[in-house]
Structures are given as structure tokens and as C-alpha cells.
Amino acid sequence: MDGHGRDEDKVDNGFNHEEEEHGGRKSSNNGAEYEMSVEQIFEKREVPPWKKQLTMRAFAVSFVLSILFTFIVMKLNLTTGIIPSLNVSAGLLGFFFVKTWTKLLSKSGLLRQPFTRQENTVIQTCVVASSGIAFSGGFGSYLFGMSERVAKQSGDNGGFKNPSLGWIIGFLFVVSFLGLFSVVPLRKIMIIDFKLTYPSGTATAHLINSFHTPQGAKLAKKQVKTLGKFFSFSFLWGFFQWFYTAGDGCGFINFPTFGLKAYENMFFFDFSATYVGVGMICPYIINISVLLGGILSWGLMWPLIENRKGDWFSADLPKKNMHGLQGYQVFIAIALILGDGLYNFVKVFTRTLTGLFYQFRGRQSLPVAHHHSSDTSDKLSYDDQRRIQLFLKDQIPTWFSVAGYVTIATISTIVLPFIFPELKWYYVLVIYIFAPTLAFCNAYGTGLTDWSLASTYGKLAIFTIGAWAGPNGGVLAGLIACGVMMNIVSTASDLMQDFKTGYLTLASPRSMFVSQVIGTAMGCIVSPCVFWLFYNAFDDLGLPGSQYAAPFGIVYRNMSVLGVQGFSALPKDCLLLCYVFFGAAILINSIKDMLGKKWGSYIPLPMAMAIPFYLGPYFAIDMCVGSLILFVWEKLNKEKAAAFGPAVASGLICGDGIWTLPSSILALAGVQPPICMKFLSRATNARVDNFLNPKS
């Protein structure tokens, strides 16, 4: 789950522009002032050819930032799975690094090529494509769900395949590029003919355009300075916390903020800078939804179900057994996720079909990428004319896209069964036949709603291929099919978002495509290496109650088990509760849509509510603290909060995220923190005293 969906009308809040002689918004014409459009502001600046938009410095900066962002996404993947949009941070940091670079070269007289908004767009595209593999690669979901560690928790006999750096890199390389080729021929249809919004891509473009005006550059400099301050604070806070975590249950992360009873039910503030930052980026309703889900599950339901021990499930079962309390936690969460996913799938798919019907009504044939727009120039604004002209200038041949898709699909169909014998070649072939249609639907739906249904299409593949394969290897086959489908439809919608950003910043479609390919290739190497570092550094990774519990690993595993084994995998009365929560998710979404945008925004999101059902609400408290900070800041100074809030949040997330690199290296080297600080009881405190003062 991510934090997309910003209101594009508010993106430029805090970005003021100077007069025309400084690249501003207003100009004088015979004494009358008029508002200049974006492309009129940049009219005198030459747009570099597509090859010059792809610079070595851009990809050097992209590589460094992709490592930073991959650590952040990986940490979020392996903790709660809530991943906010990092496009703004990528664009901002890319601007800062290259602007600093070019300023130094300019002073020394060695600058050959100025820094343009097109190059900034290339950097943002490459970074997001690379770090996006950390999500679509399934390191916290379907891929880790195949491991022996998760299989033991699930208690099924579906087999396992433990992570290994070699096969993970090979798997990602054969499945991650297909989505790029599947929708390239449709770029003109989506961007020019259908005029789809792609809110995240539009917001990013507005931000990059603002950075490259003089006033925007000044503000960006201040934002980066703010980000740097909170990055340093967050990094040092991570080190300070590590210093006191010499054993299990040690450190501030285990502080019983609301008392011992609340702590036992996962209600405590764990002092995580990451999730305070995430709370500042995510909309208020997401944070409130997560907290409500935690109160409903850990505050009410699980204590009540625990009291049914001996009736609904055996009293001798461990607390983390899938046939005991954990079974209810996981499967009810799955029911909420599936109900929410099904509702949004039907809603977006219906909107897609309706939109296509109106788009194609009256057309004799489907418009293709190399044809000119049917709009005449006198109907278009200056900005639209210039953008369409440059967007159609550098073509990516349709034959190239088709040949690329067929070639990679053929290689993938041959290679995947060697990596995963449970996934037969004809399963892969069927997926690749239907994938372009689903990729188009997801890219179109994302353009309308900013809501990517990649995980929903992945779950559809889990149940379809898992049921087809049956008990003999069906669990692993379903999980891999999920990964294949998720990678295709996710990269397809991401590429179209980037095309929209490029369209609004006059970046060439060719440079966008090449940047996406290079970023994806980076991600196929960087993400597995970062995951491998986590996997080897933390022996309890993926285990319930650990720092990196990877909650969606067990969720996706049990979805596949459910697809293969049916409802026999559920504990007593769990099916009834699943029906109730599945229906509740659909009902809540229906009410939300019926109330409209104004009042519907106050209705909680079932998908967000489901996340703490398994993990607990502790991270929701962190996120709500972040929301509270932003809320108070907005009341005191709304403009300053809008301009610097994302920078503060990004600094908190980046600093704590990058701290995982030295902490992982220290763990691999066998270096333990020197002190164990415990807060849970007098007996524990006495043991801490003995630990600190052994002679006494």
C-alpha cells in the first residue's frame, strides 16, 4: 500500500514565481499584466535532444539515490508494508545533487551542459523505477512467502524455496521488463487522446517545473537543507536506539507507553522516526484507518477470541499456530484485503470500460502511437501544442515494443520452469497472453484514479494458477504467478505515470523509456542485494514479534494455501468471521462512494484497517503522531507546512532507513549493542542493573 493520490491543485502550494525577467509567471503587454503559462516561462530555454537528456551524472546520482530509497522501501516492506509515495523526495534530492554538481563545475569553468528539468525527470524516473522493484519484487510478500520460515508458520505442506541471491536476480531480470514493452504503443492514446490525469505523475511534473524556476530553486535549496537536518537527526536517533538493544525486548522500541497490559496487546509508541515520517506523508484517513483497525482487532476481537480457547481451538496450541489465534489474525485480514481489492477492482474496471466506451464511440479505429492527434491546433493551448509536438517527435517504434515483449516472454516462459519446477511453462504462457490486456486496464485505471491494482491482479493470479496446479505444488506455483503478474501490471502503470511526467516537462518518451529500463535493471540487482543483507543480518526476519516480521509473507502464503486447499485450511468459525469482514469491506467502500468526495473522505479504508490485524497497532500510533505534528503545524502556518512538511517527513524516513545499512553490517560482523535497557517489570529492571553493574 502506498501514499499516492495527492490533490494536484495543491502541489505548487508554497512555490511562488518571480517576474518574467527572472523566469517568473507574469509579464507586461502594453501595460496589461497577464498570467504566463508554464511553457511560456520556459520558452527561451532550449529543450535538449533525447540523448543529451540521458547523462552520466544523471545515472550516477540515480544509482546512489536508488540504493538509499531501496533501503527505505525494503525496511517498510519487512515491517508493515505501508509504503508512501517517494516521488517528491526522488525529484527533490535529484535536483539538489545535480544542481550542486553543476554549480561547482560552473565556478571552475568546466560545465559543458546545464542542468535541465528534462534531466531532473530522467533522474526521478530512474530512481522510482529502481526502488519500485523492492516492492514489486515481493521481498516482503509473495517471494518471501515461499521461504521455509514462512511455510513453517503457515503449517501447510505446499513446499518451500528459500531465498538465494542468484535465483532472485535471475527471476527479476526475466519478469521485470515485460510491463515496459506491453504498454509503450499506447502512450499517445493514454496521454494525448484520452487525456488521462495520472495525478502522481502530474504532481511530480509540477514539482520539477517549479524547481527549475529561480524562486523554485531557492525554495528547493531550503527544502533540502531542512531534509538534511532531519535526516541527520533520524540517523543519529537510530544509532542512539541501537545502543540500548543488546538483547530481546530491549530498547526504546519496547517501551510500555500506555502500561503493561496495553503493551501485551501491542499498544505502545516505539519511537520510530520512519513511521512518524510516513504518518506525515500519508493522508490523515489512512493513519486513522490503521489505528481503528488496531483498536478493533487487538483491542476487542483478539482478546475475545482468546477467551474462546479450548472451544474454538485447542488450548494446547501455541499462540502463533495457524490453527489457533494466529489463524484468525491472518485469514480475517485476508478477507478484508480481498473484499477491498475486489470492490476497487470492479469499480476501477467498470470505470475503465465506461471510459473506453465513450473514448472509442464515434471512432472508426483505435488510435496508434505514430498518428497525429485529431485535435486541431486552434483548439489547443500553447502549452498543449508544444507538449504534443515534442511528445510525438521521438517515436518508439511499435514493432520494437512487440518484438521486445515476445522475445522476453519467450525467454521467461523457458527459464521460469527451471527456477521453479512447480510453475509449468503453459501456466507462464497463459499469463503472458492475458497480461498485456490487464496491464492496459491497470495503466488506464491508474490514470483515472491514481490507484494501481497491481497487488489485486497478483492475488487473482494466486487463486487462478494455484487452483489450476492443485495440491501438488500449487502453493508455490500460485505465489510465483502472483509475482509474474504483479511485475507486469505494476511496471506498466509506473511507465505511463512517467510518460505523463515527461509530457508535462517536455522530456522525450525515448529518454523516459531508456531511464525506466536502466532503473529497472538497477533495481533487479540493488533490491536483491539489499534484501540479502537484511536476510543474513537478522536471524529472526519474518518471525512474528521480530523487528522485521514481514507480515505480508504469511498473508500471501495463506492466500495461496486457501486457493489450493479451500476453506479446510481455516480454524473453527473463522470462515464465518471472514464472510462478515469480506462483506464489511465491500459495504464500507460502497458507503464511502455513496457519500461522495466531501463526506466519503471521513470513512476509513478497509485495506489500511487490515494491516494491523496481524502486526498490531504500535506503528499506527507512530503514524498518528506524525499526523498530529503535521496537523498542528498546518494550524500554525499552513504555507510553511505545505512547503516543508514533505521535506521533514522525507528526512525522518531517509535517515532511519539508511541507518539500517550500518546496523545490518554490524549484525553481520557479530557486533552487539553494549547495553540492554528494559522497562517491563521490576524483575527485569533488576536484571538490567545486574547487567550494568555485575559486581554489585
Side-chain angles (χ1 to χ4, degrees):
M1 181 171 192
D2 60 30
H4 291 305
R6 294 180 60 191
D7 182 356
E8 65 182 82
D9 293 327
K10 298 179 183 176
V11 171
D12 280 330
N13 194 4
F15 288 88
N16 300 315
H17 302 273
E18 295 183 354
E19 302 301 311
E20 183 190 17
E21 66 267 24
H22 301 298
R25 296 291 298 266
K26 292 187 178 180
S27 180
S28 177
N29 184 13
N30 296 326
E33 286 195 343
Y34 65 91
E35 190 79 8
M36 294 184 69
S37 69
V38 172
E39 295 312 325
Q40 286 174 330
I41 294 172
F42 292 100
E43 186 176 13
K44 295 181 180 179
R45 302 189 190 183
E46 182 184 358
V47 178
W50 72 273
K51 288 184 180 179
K52 288 192 175 181
Q53 295 173 21
L54 304 167
T55 62
M56 287 301 297
R57 70 190 180 198
F59 291 116
V61 168
S62 297
F63 180 71
V64 173
L65 290 179
S66 70
I67 294 174
L68 167 64
F69 279 67
T70 298
F71 269 98
I72 295 167
V73 174
M74 194 66 69
K75 179 173 182 177
L76 297 174
N77 258 336
L78 298 174
T79 48
T80 64
I82 298 177
I83 302 169
S85 175
L86 298 171
N87 298 47
V88 172
S89 303
L92 179 62
L93 288 173
F95 174 82
F96 170 71
F97 281 123
V98 179
K99 196 70 175 176
T100 304
W101 186 331
T102 55
K103 189 171 286 187
L104 292 173
L105 290 178
S106 179
K107 288 180 179 179
S108 62
L110 298 175
L111 181 64
R112 296 181 180 179
Q113 182 177 341
F115 181 41
T116 63
R117 55 185 173 140
Q118 290 80 26
E119 189 178 355
N120 203 161
T121 305
V122 165
I123 294 170
Q124 183 269 335
T125 298
C126 189
V127 173
V128 172
S130 179
S131 58
I133 298 294
F135 170 72
S136 62
F139 298 99
S141 56
Y142 66 84
L143 190 143
F144 191 63
M146 293 187 290
S147 67
E148 184 179 12
R149 204 170 291 178
V150 176
K152 285 181 178 178
Q153 294 177 53
S154 180
D156 65 90
N157 298 317
F160 60 86
K161 187 175 182 67
N162 281 322
S164 172
L165 197 58
W167 73 254
I168 293 176
I169 293 176
F171 165 71
L172 290 177
F173 265 105
V174 297
V175 301
S176 296
F177 294 91
L178 278 154
L180 303 181
F181 290 93
S182 64
V183 294
V184 165
L186 305 175
R187 66 192 180 279
K188 175 182 175 289
I189 301 170
M190 302 288 208
I191 305 300
I192 297 176
D193 293 295
F194 292 175
K195 297 180 175 63
L196 296 177
T197 308
Y198 290 101
S200 290
T202 300
T204 305
H206 288 338
L207 198 72
I208 290 174
N209 283 335
S210 294
F211 285 162
H212 290 266
T213 62
Q215 189 65 20
K218 291 177 184 176
L219 180 58
K221 186 177 179 181
K222 293 178 182 177
Q223 288 173 319
V224 170
K225 189 175 181 181
T226 302
L227 189 150
K229 287 180 181 178
F230 283 89
F231 177 96
S232 302
F233 165 77
S234 181
F235 184 88
L236 293 173
W237 175 245
F239 169 70
F240 178 76
Q241 285 187 298
W242 171 85
F243 202 77
Y244 296 98
T245 56
D248 295 334
C250 301
F252 290 91
I253 194 173
N254 292 293
F255 185 78
T257 321
F258 308 110
L260 294 177
K261 189 66 179 177
Y263 178 85
E264 289 175 9
N265 287 285
M266 308 297 286
F267 283 92
F268 57 92
F269 178 62
D270 74 344
F271 297 91
S272 169
T274 293
Y275 280 101
V276 172
V278 169
M280 293 181 70
I281 290 179
C282 287
Y284 293 135
I285 191 60
I286 288 181
N287 302 330
I288 292 170
S289 299
V290 174
L291 183 60
L292 284 175
I295 294 171
L296 176 64
S297 55
W298 289 85
L300 296 173
M301 289 180 59
W302 305 156
L304 291 173
I305 292 176
E306 181 75 14
N307 291 336
R308 306 297 297 174
K309 185 167 56 179
D311 180 13
W312 285 12
F313 56 94
S314 172
D316 298 327
L317 287 174
K319 201 170 187 178
K320 297 301 179 182
N321 189 285
M322 285 303 298
H323 295 286
L325 180 61
Q326 191 178 61
Y328 295 93
Q329 294 172 348
V330 171
F331 285 109
I332 292 175
I334 289 173
L336 261 179
I337 291 168
L338 291 179
D340 185 89
L342 178 66
Y343 180 89
N344 283 290
F345 174 78
V346 172
K347 183 178 79 172
V348 174
F349 199 71
T350 303
R351 287 188 64 179
T352 299
L353 294 178
T354 305
L356 288 173
F357 172 76
Y358 285 112
Q359 293 284 358
F360 291 138
R361 191 168 67 174
R363 292 182 183 270
Q364 297 299 315
S365 61
L366 185 73
V368 292
H370 60 275
H371 286 173
H372 292 291
S373 176
S374 58
D375 290 315
T376 57
S377 60
D378 60 332
K379 294 181 182 178
L380 298 172
S381 66
Y382 174 81
D383 283 11
D384 287 336
Q385 289 182 49
R386 185 153 172 74
R387 287 164 178 168
I388 290 172
Q389 176 191 4
L390 291 172
F391 192 73
L392 297 178
K393 179 183 174 184
D394 296 322
Q395 297 299 322
I396 303 171
T398 301
W399 67 262
F400 173 78
S401 306
V402 174
Y405 186 87
V406 172
T407 301
I408 297 175
T410 303
I411 295 170
S412 182
T413 304
I414 295 170
V415 171
L416 283 177
F418 283 99
I419 303 175
F420 310 101
E422 298 83 2
L423 191 70
K424 307 301 181 186
W425 66 269
Y426 42 88
Y427 300 160
V428 184
L429 183 62
V430 168
I431 291 172
Y432 289 154
I433 289 172
F434 288 100
T437 303
L438 299 179
F440 166 75
C441 292
N442 193 47
Y444 186 92
T446 304
L448 289 173
T449 65
D450 210 35
W451 189 277
S452 175
L453 296 174
S455 59
T456 303
Y457 287 108
K459 291 163 194 147
L460 182 64
I462 284 181
F463 289 110
T464 304
I465 301 300
W468 186 3
N472 197 10
V475 174
L476 291 184
L479 289 170
I480 292 302
C482 170
V484 174
M485 185 63 76
M486 265 186 70
N487 274 279
I488 294 173
V489 298
S490 178
T491 52
S493 62
D494 288 347
L495 177 63
M496 207 55 69
Q497 288 269 23
D498 291 331
F499 276 145
K500 182 69 175 185
T501 304
Y503 171 78
L504 294 171
T505 58
L506 302 190
S508 167
R510 288 189 184 181
S511 66
M512 291 288 90
F513 182 77
V514 172
S515 177
Q516 188 91 13
V517 169
I518 292 174
T520 301
M522 283 182 188
C524 290
I525 296 173
V526 172
S527 291
C529 290
V530 171
F531 172 75
W532 197 241
L533 186 63
F534 275 87
Y535 187 72
N536 286 282
F538 303 100
D539 294 333
D540 59 354
L541 187 144
L543 297 179
S546 66
Q547 183 181 0
Y548 299 104
F552 280 99
I554 188 72
V555 168
Y556 274 70
R557 174 89 186 190
N558 281 286
M559 283 185 192
S560 193
V561 169
L562 195 61
V564 173
Q565 298 180 4
F567 296 125
S568 61
L570 300 177
K572 183 184 176 183
D573 288 329
C574 185
L575 179 59
L576 176 61
L577 291 171
C578 287
Y579 283 146
V580 170
F581 279 88
F582 181 87
I586 295 175
L587 179 63
I588 291 170
N589 276 305
S590 301
I591 295 172
K592 188 178 183 71
D593 286 340
M594 286 170 58
L595 291 175
K597 203 168 187 179
K598 182 179 179 181
W599 298 107
S601 62
Y602 295 100
I603 303 297
L605 301 169
M607 183 75 76
M609 291 176 67
I611 296 170
F613 272 56
Y614 177 69
L615 271 182
Y618 64 92
F619 66 93
I621 294 168
D622 296 0
M623 292 171 66
C624 286
V625 168
S627 281
L628 181 62
I629 292 170
L630 185 63
F631 179 79
V632 173
W633 194 359
E634 286 178 338
K635 290 296 181 183
L636 295 175
N637 192 329
K638 190 171 184 178
E639 288 188 4
K640 198 167 185 179
F644 294 96
V648 171
S650 299
L652 292 173
I653 295 170
C654 292
D656 198 34
I658 205 63
W659 163 249
T660 59
L661 176 59
S663 66
S664 300
I665 293 172
L666 289 170
L668 286 172
V671 178
Q672 292 295 321
I675 299 172
C676 175
M677 181 180 288
K678 290 196 174 185
F679 307 93
L680 301 184
S681 66
R682 291 182 179 179
T684 304
N685 286 329
R687 288 198 297 272
V688 174
D689 290 339
N690 290 331
F691 176 83
L692 296 174
N693 304 291
K695 293 182 180 180
S696 61

